[in-house]
Amino acid sequence: MKKNKKRNFIVLGIVIVLVACIAIMLFQVKGEKKEVVETDQNSYRYIKVDGKDYRYRTNLKTILFLGIDTTDETKNQGQSDAIDLAIFDRDQQKIKIVSLSRDTMCKIRLFDSEGNDLGWDKQHLGLAYSYGKNRKHGGILAKDAVSKLLSDVPLVNYTAFDLNSLQELQDIIGDMPMVLDDDYIDINPLWKKGKKIVINRDNVEEFVRSRNTSKDYSNKTRMQRQKLYIQTYINQLKTKLTNDYSITLQKMYDFYSKLTTNITLKEIDSYAEMILNYSIDNNEYYTLPGEDQKGELHDEFIVDQKQLKQLVLQLFYEEDK
């Protein structure tokens, strides 16, 4: 019994840190009521594209990770600064990551200040979470918005955490050396391409969340830094678990209380098995196709719908022959 309990803690800890890593940190809009349109919940299973029939690959598991730009002390719900979708492909035994810009223009569900449903309207994806009546509701709204953006493919699990958790996330592995893959001197004059730096609890927020808002489309380079952080963190985590297992495990377990998630304890074992045995390849890190443009008030990312459809087919479907 003790052995099983210890194993459950191990499994839980590993899932917690993957949740945290991928999900690195990093208005409520009032208006005319929009029509609420409900769709067939099973319409995603079989689709036709360019005259060919495709069926949804049911052997997939997904988790949406959200990094929220607020702290426990603030009264506002906050917005999603980082939005990443992890796809666990049980056929190919791979973990694939789709990174979505907070500036993505897409349909999200709106609510007024009294909680009345205003229906779906095109807004920044990062705002979807902010319309929740609480953190759990915000996670569901963000998950539903990403699902609708991706042709209504089903997304079940989500996890979110806020700024207060960043230092504790870094403390799990301590000092983390990395070699910069590009120039980030607009954030720190010492962060030049090829330079070896050390990320720790004192500078982790600067690295994963800061951006130069005086420059257009500054979120793009921030997403690039977040990708580098995720890849480096996972590798160092494996080393920590090997060399200092019990202490690292306890830190991971303590971090669980900082998360807002609908992942249940019963789901921990299956996720952990996949995390331990599946590959996470740099070639399986995706961003949505499209281009940035200046909006009236904020940057906007306009998705190329034709290319997005092909990406959805690649990740979620197979030809129905």
Side-chain angles (χ1 to χ4, degrees), residues 19-49:
V19 165
C21 289
I22 297 179
I24 298 299
M25 306 283 332
L26 312 231
F27 327 19
Q28 193 172 58
V29 179
K30 292 185 179 181
E32 183 179 346
K33 189 169 183 177
K34 309 294 188 302
E35 179 183 3
V36 178
V37 179
E38 301 294 348
T39 58
D40 182 355
Q41 296 296 311
N42 294 316
S43 62
Y44 69 90
R45 292 186 180 277
Y46 296 93
I47 62 174
K48 183 183 290 289
V49 179

PDB file of all heavy atoms in Angstrom, residues 19-49:
ATOM      1  N   VAL A  19       2.735  20.144 -16.544  1.00  0.00           N
ATOM      2  CA  VAL A  19       1.703  21.175 -16.615  1.00  0.00           C
ATOM      3  C   VAL A  19       2.329  22.554 -16.453  1.00  0.00           C
ATOM      4  O   VAL A  19       2.079  23.478 -17.223  1.00  0.00           O
ATOM      5  CB  VAL A  19       0.644  20.945 -15.512  1.00  0.00           C
ATOM      6  CG1 VAL A  19      -0.221  22.167 -15.329  1.00  0.00           C
ATOM      7  CG2 VAL A  19      -0.227  19.743 -15.853  1.00  0.00           C
ATOM      8  N   ALA A  20       3.165  22.689 -15.434  1.00  0.00           N
ATOM      9  CA  ALA A  20       3.760  23.989 -15.140  1.00  0.00           C
ATOM     10  C   ALA A  20       4.717  24.426 -16.231  1.00  0.00           C
ATOM     11  O   ALA A  20       4.718  25.591 -16.640  1.00  0.00           O
ATOM     12  CB  ALA A  20       4.489  23.919 -13.798  1.00  0.00           C
ATOM     13  N   CYS A  21       5.554  23.506 -16.716  1.00  0.00           N
ATOM     14  CA  CYS A  21       6.562  23.873 -17.721  1.00  0.00           C
ATOM     15  C   CYS A  21       5.924  24.348 -19.006  1.00  0.00           C
ATOM     16  O   CYS A  21       6.294  25.384 -19.555  1.00  0.00           O
ATOM     17  CB  CYS A  21       7.454  22.655 -18.017  1.00  0.00           C
ATOM     18  SG  CYS A  21       8.557  22.256 -16.673  1.00  0.00           S
ATOM     19  N   ILE A  22       5.045  23.531 -19.488  1.00  0.00           N
ATOM     20  CA  ILE A  22       4.448  23.892 -20.767  1.00  0.00           C
ATOM     21  C   ILE A  22       3.648  25.168 -20.627  1.00  0.00           C
ATOM     22  O   ILE A  22       3.557  25.957 -21.573  1.00  0.00           O
ATOM     23  CB  ILE A  22       3.556  22.741 -21.263  1.00  0.00           C
ATOM     24  CG1 ILE A  22       4.415  21.513 -21.514  1.00  0.00           C
ATOM     25  CG2 ILE A  22       2.809  23.125 -22.513  1.00  0.00           C
ATOM     26  CD1 ILE A  22       3.649  20.318 -21.971  1.00  0.00           C
ATOM     27  N   ALA A  23       3.150  25.269 -19.474  1.00  0.00           N
ATOM     28  CA  ALA A  23       2.343  26.422 -19.319  1.00  0.00           C
ATOM     29  C   ALA A  23       3.034  27.656 -18.831  1.00  0.00           C
ATOM     30  O   ALA A  23       2.458  28.397 -18.126  1.00  0.00           O
ATOM     31  CB  ALA A  23       1.258  26.065 -18.340  1.00  0.00           C
ATOM     32  N   ILE A  24       4.244  27.955 -19.163  1.00  0.00           N
ATOM     33  CA  ILE A  24       5.056  29.041 -18.628  1.00  0.00           C
ATOM     34  C   ILE A  24       4.386  30.395 -18.805  1.00  0.00           C
ATOM     35  O   ILE A  24       3.855  30.699 -19.856  1.00  0.00           O
ATOM     36  CB  ILE A  24       6.420  29.047 -19.300  1.00  0.00           C
ATOM     37  CG1 ILE A  24       7.165  27.752 -19.000  1.00  0.00           C
ATOM     38  CG2 ILE A  24       7.267  30.195 -18.841  1.00  0.00           C
ATOM     39  CD1 ILE A  24       7.401  27.544 -17.584  1.00  0.00           C
ATOM     40  N   MET A  25       4.565  31.291 -17.698  1.00  0.00           N
ATOM     41  CA  MET A  25       4.085  32.648 -17.780  1.00  0.00           C
ATOM     42  C   MET A  25       4.819  33.445 -18.808  1.00  0.00           C
ATOM     43  O   MET A  25       5.869  33.650 -18.769  1.00  0.00           O
ATOM     44  CB  MET A  25       4.326  33.368 -16.523  1.00  0.00           C
ATOM     45  CG  MET A  25       3.786  32.713 -15.326  1.00  0.00           C
ATOM     46  SD  MET A  25       2.087  32.810 -14.979  1.00  0.00           S
ATOM     47  CE  MET A  25       1.545  34.242 -15.644  1.00  0.00           C
ATOM     48  N   LEU A  26       4.622  33.497 -17.883  1.00  0.00           N
ATOM     49  CA  LEU A  26       5.052  34.158 -18.448  1.00  0.00           C
ATOM     50  C   LEU A  26       5.371  35.368 -17.798  1.00  0.00           C
ATOM     51  O   LEU A  26       6.005  35.452 -17.210  1.00  0.00           O
ATOM     52  CB  LEU A  26       4.591  33.203 -18.867  1.00  0.00           C
ATOM     53  CG  LEU A  26       5.080  32.273 -18.083  1.00  0.00           C
ATOM     54  CD1 LEU A  26       5.539  31.434 -18.447  1.00  0.00           C
ATOM     55  CD2 LEU A  26       5.382  31.795 -17.683  1.00  0.00           C
ATOM     56  N   PHE A  27     -10.761  43.417 -20.282  1.00  0.00           N
ATOM     57  CA  PHE A  27     -11.514  43.986 -20.432  1.00  0.00           C
ATOM     58  C   PHE A  27     -12.772  43.193 -20.396  1.00  0.00           C
ATOM     59  O   PHE A  27     -12.900  42.202 -20.997  1.00  0.00           O
ATOM     60  CB  PHE A  27     -11.233  44.441 -21.765  1.00  0.00           C
ATOM     61  CG  PHE A  27      -9.843  44.614 -22.192  1.00  0.00           C
ATOM     62  CD1 PHE A  27      -8.740  44.057 -21.584  1.00  0.00           C
ATOM     63  CD2 PHE A  27      -9.686  45.401 -23.267  1.00  0.00           C
ATOM     64  CE1 PHE A  27      -7.525  44.290 -22.060  1.00  0.00           C
ATOM     65  CE2 PHE A  27      -8.492  45.643 -23.753  1.00  0.00           C
ATOM     66  CZ  PHE A  27      -7.420  45.103 -23.159  1.00  0.00           C
ATOM     67  N   GLN A  28     -12.945  43.216 -19.765  1.00  0.00           N
ATOM     68  CA  GLN A  28     -14.267  42.655 -19.944  1.00  0.00           C
ATOM     69  C   GLN A  28     -14.991  43.527 -20.935  1.00  0.00           C
ATOM     70  O   GLN A  28     -15.135  44.714 -20.744  1.00  0.00           O
ATOM     71  CB  GLN A  28     -15.038  42.600 -18.624  1.00  0.00           C
ATOM     72  CG  GLN A  28     -16.271  41.757 -18.724  1.00  0.00           C
ATOM     73  CD  GLN A  28     -16.894  41.555 -17.377  1.00  0.00           C
ATOM     74  OE1 GLN A  28     -17.235  42.516 -16.738  1.00  0.00           O
ATOM     75  NE2 GLN A  28     -17.057  40.325 -16.960  1.00  0.00           N
ATOM     76  N   VAL A  29     -15.517  42.950 -22.027  1.00  0.00           N
ATOM     77  CA  VAL A  29     -16.120  43.716 -23.103  1.00  0.00           C
ATOM     78  C   VAL A  29     -17.628  43.626 -23.014  1.00  0.00           C
ATOM     79  O   VAL A  29     -18.192  42.544 -23.061  1.00  0.00           O
ATOM     80  CB  VAL A  29     -15.659  43.166 -24.473  1.00  0.00           C
ATOM     81  CG1 VAL A  29     -16.304  43.935 -25.592  1.00  0.00           C
ATOM     82  CG2 VAL A  29     -14.151  43.230 -24.567  1.00  0.00           C
ATOM     83  N   LYS A  30     -18.259  44.763 -22.844  1.00  0.00           N
ATOM     84  CA  LYS A  30     -19.717  44.805 -22.867  1.00  0.00           C
ATOM     85  C   LYS A  30     -20.171  45.154 -24.268  1.00  0.00           C
ATOM     86  O   LYS A  30     -19.513  45.891 -24.980  1.00  0.00           O
ATOM     87  CB  LYS A  30     -20.233  45.861 -21.896  1.00  0.00           C
ATOM     88  CG  LYS A  30     -19.981  45.521 -20.427  1.00  0.00           C
ATOM     89  CD  LYS A  30     -20.616  46.534 -19.544  1.00  0.00           C
ATOM     90  CE  LYS A  30     -20.384  46.190 -18.083  1.00  0.00           C
ATOM     91  NZ  LYS A  30     -21.033  47.169 -17.198  1.00  0.00           N
ATOM     92  N   GLY A  31     -21.337  44.658 -24.654  1.00  0.00           N
ATOM     93  CA  GLY A  31     -21.802  45.008 -25.982  1.00  0.00           C
ATOM     94  C   GLY A  31     -23.153  44.420 -26.265  1.00  0.00           C
ATOM     95  O   GLY A  31     -23.805  43.866 -25.398  1.00  0.00           O
ATOM     96  N   GLU A  32     -23.523  44.543 -27.493  1.00  0.00           N
ATOM     97  CA  GLU A  32     -24.815  44.050 -27.932  1.00  0.00           C
ATOM     98  C   GLU A  32     -24.841  42.541 -27.852  1.00  0.00           C
ATOM     99  O   GLU A  32     -23.867  41.867 -28.189  1.00  0.00           O
ATOM    100  CB  GLU A  32     -25.032  44.489 -29.382  1.00  0.00           C
ATOM    101  CG  GLU A  32     -26.379  44.085 -29.939  1.00  0.00           C
ATOM    102  CD  GLU A  32     -26.535  44.571 -31.353  1.00  0.00           C
ATOM    103  OE1 GLU A  32     -25.741  45.412 -31.773  1.00  0.00           O
ATOM    104  OE2 GLU A  32     -27.450  44.089 -32.032  1.00  0.00           O
ATOM    105  N   LYS A  33     -25.912  41.995 -27.390  1.00  0.00           N
ATOM    106  CA  LYS A  33     -25.991  40.560 -27.213  1.00  0.00           C
ATOM    107  C   LYS A  33     -25.898  39.843 -28.546  1.00  0.00           C
ATOM    108  O   LYS A  33     -26.540  40.189 -29.517  1.00  0.00           O
ATOM    109  CB  LYS A  33     -27.302  40.190 -26.515  1.00  0.00           C
ATOM    110  CG  LYS A  33     -27.363  38.723 -26.103  1.00  0.00           C
ATOM    111  CD  LYS A  33     -28.537  38.460 -25.206  1.00  0.00           C
ATOM    112  CE  LYS A  33     -28.549  37.015 -24.757  1.00  0.00           C
ATOM    113  NZ  LYS A  33     -29.633  36.739 -23.830  1.00  0.00           N
ATOM    114  N   LYS A  34     -25.052  38.796 -28.577  1.00  0.00           N
ATOM    115  CA  LYS A  34     -24.843  38.029 -29.797  1.00  0.00           C
ATOM    116  C   LYS A  34     -25.668  36.743 -29.736  1.00  0.00           C
ATOM    117  O   LYS A  34     -25.998  36.244 -28.659  1.00  0.00           O
ATOM    118  CB  LYS A  34     -23.362  37.671 -29.959  1.00  0.00           C
ATOM    119  CG  LYS A  34     -22.422  38.850 -29.829  1.00  0.00           C
ATOM    120  CD  LYS A  34     -22.609  39.836 -30.956  1.00  0.00           C
ATOM    121  CE  LYS A  34     -21.544  40.907 -30.938  1.00  0.00           C
ATOM    122  NZ  LYS A  34     -21.472  41.685 -29.718  1.00  0.00           N
ATOM    123  N   GLU A  35     -25.946  36.199 -30.898  1.00  0.00           N
ATOM    124  CA  GLU A  35     -26.713  34.956 -30.955  1.00  0.00           C
ATOM    125  C   GLU A  35     -25.872  33.814 -30.399  1.00  0.00           C
ATOM    126  O   GLU A  35     -24.705  33.667 -30.720  1.00  0.00           O
ATOM    127  CB  GLU A  35     -27.081  34.647 -32.410  1.00  0.00           C
ATOM    128  CG  GLU A  35     -27.871  33.354 -32.563  1.00  0.00           C
ATOM    129  CD  GLU A  35     -28.162  33.045 -34.002  1.00  0.00           C
ATOM    130  OE1 GLU A  35     -27.706  33.810 -34.864  1.00  0.00           O
ATOM    131  OE2 GLU A  35     -28.831  32.031 -34.261  1.00  0.00           O
ATOM    132  N   VAL A  36     -26.458  33.015 -29.541  1.00  0.00           N
ATOM    133  CA  VAL A  36     -25.779  31.847 -28.998  1.00  0.00           C
ATOM    134  C   VAL A  36     -26.076  30.665 -29.905  1.00  0.00           C
ATOM    135  O   VAL A  36     -27.221  30.251 -30.066  1.00  0.00           O
ATOM    136  CB  VAL A  36     -26.266  31.552 -27.554  1.00  0.00           C
ATOM    137  CG1 VAL A  36     -25.588  30.304 -27.020  1.00  0.00           C
ATOM    138  CG2 VAL A  36     -25.993  32.749 -26.655  1.00  0.00           C
ATOM    139  N   VAL A  37     -25.011  30.120 -30.499  1.00  0.00           N
ATOM    140  CA  VAL A  37     -25.179  29.018 -31.445  1.00  0.00           C
ATOM    141  C   VAL A  37     -24.575  27.761 -30.848  1.00  0.00           C
ATOM    142  O   VAL A  37     -23.399  27.722 -30.513  1.00  0.00           O
ATOM    143  CB  VAL A  37     -24.496  29.331 -32.790  1.00  0.00           C
ATOM    144  CG1 VAL A  37     -24.663  28.161 -33.752  1.00  0.00           C
ATOM    145  CG2 VAL A  37     -25.073  30.612 -33.379  1.00  0.00           C
ATOM    146  N   GLU A  38     -25.368  26.734 -30.693  1.00  0.00           N
ATOM    147  CA  GLU A  38     -24.878  25.456 -30.204  1.00  0.00           C
ATOM    148  C   GLU A  38     -24.697  24.519 -31.402  1.00  0.00           C
ATOM    149  O   GLU A  38     -25.496  24.497 -32.333  1.00  0.00           O
ATOM    150  CB  GLU A  38     -25.881  24.843 -29.214  1.00  0.00           C
ATOM    151  CG  GLU A  38     -26.165  25.720 -28.011  1.00  0.00           C
ATOM    152  CD  GLU A  38     -24.955  25.902 -27.114  1.00  0.00           C
ATOM    153  OE1 GLU A  38     -23.970  25.169 -27.301  1.00  0.00           O
ATOM    154  OE2 GLU A  38     -25.003  26.789 -26.248  1.00  0.00           O
ATOM    155  N   THR A  39     -23.608  23.721 -31.373  1.00  0.00           N
ATOM    156  CA  THR A  39     -23.324  22.816 -32.484  1.00  0.00           C
ATOM    157  C   THR A  39     -23.444  21.375 -32.027  1.00  0.00           C
ATOM    158  O   THR A  39     -23.409  21.069 -30.837  1.00  0.00           O
ATOM    159  CB  THR A  39     -21.913  23.056 -33.030  1.00  0.00           C
ATOM    160  OG1 THR A  39     -20.973  22.861 -31.967  1.00  0.00           O
ATOM    161  CG2 THR A  39     -21.771  24.468 -33.575  1.00  0.00           C
ATOM    162  N   ASP A  40     -23.577  20.477 -32.972  1.00  0.00           N
ATOM    163  CA  ASP A  40     -23.616  19.052 -32.685  1.00  0.00           C
ATOM    164  C   ASP A  40     -22.314  18.639 -32.010  1.00  0.00           C
ATOM    165  O   ASP A  40     -21.230  18.825 -32.561  1.00  0.00           O
ATOM    166  CB  ASP A  40     -23.803  18.286 -33.998  1.00  0.00           C
ATOM    167  CG  ASP A  40     -23.897  16.786 -33.795  1.00  0.00           C
ATOM    168  OD1 ASP A  40     -23.726  16.335 -32.652  1.00  0.00           O
ATOM    169  OD2 ASP A  40     -24.122  16.078 -34.793  1.00  0.00           O
ATOM    170  N   GLN A  41     -22.410  18.075 -30.822  1.00  0.00           N
ATOM    171  CA  GLN A  41     -21.224  17.726 -30.057  1.00  0.00           C
ATOM    172  C   GLN A  41     -20.378  16.653 -30.735  1.00  0.00           C
ATOM    173  O   GLN A  41     -19.206  16.494 -30.411  1.00  0.00           O
ATOM    174  CB  GLN A  41     -21.635  17.248 -28.658  1.00  0.00           C
ATOM    175  CG  GLN A  41     -22.305  18.325 -27.828  1.00  0.00           C
ATOM    176  CD  GLN A  41     -21.366  19.482 -27.540  1.00  0.00           C
ATOM    177  OE1 GLN A  41     -20.238  19.292 -27.117  1.00  0.00           O
ATOM    178  NE2 GLN A  41     -21.832  20.691 -27.782  1.00  0.00           N
ATOM    179  N   ASN A  42     -20.951  15.901 -31.671  1.00  0.00           N
ATOM    180  CA  ASN A  42     -20.214  14.831 -32.341  1.00  0.00           C
ATOM    181  C   ASN A  42     -19.847  15.181 -33.783  1.00  0.00           C
ATOM    182  O   ASN A  42     -19.377  14.320 -34.528  1.00  0.00           O
ATOM    183  CB  ASN A  42     -21.049  13.533 -32.335  1.00  0.00           C
ATOM    184  CG  ASN A  42     -21.251  12.999 -30.925  1.00  0.00           C
ATOM    185  OD1 ASN A  42     -20.309  12.960 -30.132  1.00  0.00           O
ATOM    186  ND2 ASN A  42     -22.471  12.591 -30.609  1.00  0.00           N
ATOM    187  N   SER A  43     -20.046  16.441 -34.177  1.00  0.00           N
ATOM    188  CA  SER A  43     -19.805  16.811 -35.573  1.00  0.00           C
ATOM    189  C   SER A  43     -18.334  16.739 -35.960  1.00  0.00           C
ATOM    190  O   SER A  43     -18.002  16.700 -37.138  1.00  0.00           O
ATOM    191  CB  SER A  43     -20.342  18.225 -35.835  1.00  0.00           C
ATOM    192  OG  SER A  43     -19.662  19.173 -35.020  1.00  0.00           O
ATOM    193  N   TYR A  44     -17.452  16.724 -34.976  1.00  0.00           N
ATOM    194  CA  TYR A  44     -16.021  16.675 -35.267  1.00  0.00           C
ATOM    195  C   TYR A  44     -15.559  15.280 -35.688  1.00  0.00           C
ATOM    196  O   TYR A  44     -14.484  15.130 -36.274  1.00  0.00           O
ATOM    197  CB  TYR A  44     -15.228  17.089 -34.019  1.00  0.00           C
ATOM    198  CG  TYR A  44     -15.310  16.087 -32.892  1.00  0.00           C
ATOM    199  CD1 TYR A  44     -14.390  15.049 -32.781  1.00  0.00           C
ATOM    200  CD2 TYR A  44     -16.327  16.161 -31.946  1.00  0.00           C
ATOM    201  CE1 TYR A  44     -14.477  14.114 -31.768  1.00  0.00           C
ATOM    202  CE2 TYR A  44     -16.425  15.238 -30.931  1.00  0.00           C
ATOM    203  CZ  TYR A  44     -15.498  14.222 -30.833  1.00  0.00           C
ATOM    204  OH  TYR A  44     -15.595  13.305 -29.838  1.00  0.00           O
ATOM    205  N   ARG A  45     -16.329  14.260 -35.400  1.00  0.00           N
ATOM    206  CA  ARG A  45     -15.859  12.885 -35.584  1.00  0.00           C
ATOM    207  C   ARG A  45     -15.555  12.559 -37.040  1.00  0.00           C
ATOM    208  O   ARG A  45     -14.554  11.908 -37.347  1.00  0.00           O
ATOM    209  CB  ARG A  45     -16.876  11.891 -35.030  1.00  0.00           C
ATOM    210  CG  ARG A  45     -16.999  11.940 -33.516  1.00  0.00           C
ATOM    211  CD  ARG A  45     -17.900  10.847 -32.996  1.00  0.00           C
ATOM    212  NE  ARG A  45     -18.024  10.888 -31.553  1.00  0.00           N
ATOM    213  CZ  ARG A  45     -17.158  10.358 -30.697  1.00  0.00           C
ATOM    214  NH1 ARG A  45     -16.096   9.715 -31.172  1.00  0.00           N
ATOM    215  NH2 ARG A  45     -17.348  10.445 -29.400  1.00  0.00           N
ATOM    216  N   TYR A  46     -16.408  13.010 -37.943  1.00  0.00           N
ATOM    217  CA  TYR A  46     -16.208  12.762 -39.375  1.00  0.00           C
ATOM    218  C   TYR A  46     -16.348  14.084 -40.121  1.00  0.00           C
ATOM    219  O   TYR A  46     -17.357  14.781 -39.960  1.00  0.00           O
ATOM    220  CB  TYR A  46     -17.226  11.748 -39.909  1.00  0.00           C
ATOM    221  CG  TYR A  46     -17.081  10.369 -39.301  1.00  0.00           C
ATOM    222  CD1 TYR A  46     -17.817  10.008 -38.173  1.00  0.00           C
ATOM    223  CD2 TYR A  46     -16.194   9.443 -39.845  1.00  0.00           C
ATOM    224  CE1 TYR A  46     -17.679   8.751 -37.594  1.00  0.00           C
ATOM    225  CE2 TYR A  46     -16.057   8.180 -39.287  1.00  0.00           C
ATOM    226  CZ  TYR A  46     -16.796   7.841 -38.158  1.00  0.00           C
ATOM    227  OH  TYR A  46     -16.636   6.601 -37.597  1.00  0.00           O
ATOM    228  N   ILE A  47     -15.337  14.424 -40.905  1.00  0.00           N
ATOM    229  CA  ILE A  47     -15.370  15.671 -41.662  1.00  0.00           C
ATOM    230  C   ILE A  47     -14.946  15.404 -43.098  1.00  0.00           C
ATOM    231  O   ILE A  47     -14.304  14.388 -43.397  1.00  0.00           O
ATOM    232  CB  ILE A  47     -14.459  16.752 -41.033  1.00  0.00           C
ATOM    233  CG1 ILE A  47     -13.004  16.299 -41.040  1.00  0.00           C
ATOM    234  CG2 ILE A  47     -14.920  17.092 -39.624  1.00  0.00           C
ATOM    235  CD1 ILE A  47     -12.035  17.367 -40.558  1.00  0.00           C
ATOM    236  N   LYS A  48     -15.314  16.310 -43.967  1.00  0.00           N
ATOM    237  CA  LYS A  48     -14.926  16.208 -45.379  1.00  0.00           C
ATOM    238  C   LYS A  48     -14.135  17.453 -45.753  1.00  0.00           C
ATOM    239  O   LYS A  48     -14.577  18.582 -45.514  1.00  0.00           O
ATOM    240  CB  LYS A  48     -16.156  16.075 -46.279  1.00  0.00           C
ATOM    241  CG  LYS A  48     -15.834  15.879 -47.765  1.00  0.00           C
ATOM    242  CD  LYS A  48     -17.100  15.833 -48.596  1.00  0.00           C
ATOM    243  CE  LYS A  48     -17.896  14.564 -48.346  1.00  0.00           C
ATOM    244  NZ  LYS A  48     -17.203  13.364 -48.935  1.00  0.00           N
ATOM    245  N   VAL A  49     -12.949  17.260 -46.336  1.00  0.00           N
ATOM    246  CA  VAL A  49     -12.080  18.356 -46.757  1.00  0.00           C
ATOM    247  C   VAL A  49     -11.576  18.066 -48.161  1.00  0.00           C
ATOM    248  O   VAL A  49     -11.002  16.991 -48.415  1.00  0.00           O
ATOM    249  CB  VAL A  49     -10.881  18.539 -45.799  1.00  0.00           C
ATOM    250  CG1 VAL A  49      -9.978  19.674 -46.282  1.00  0.00           C
ATOM    251  CG2 VAL A  49     -11.359  18.806 -44.382  1.00  0.00           C
TER     252      VAL A  49
END
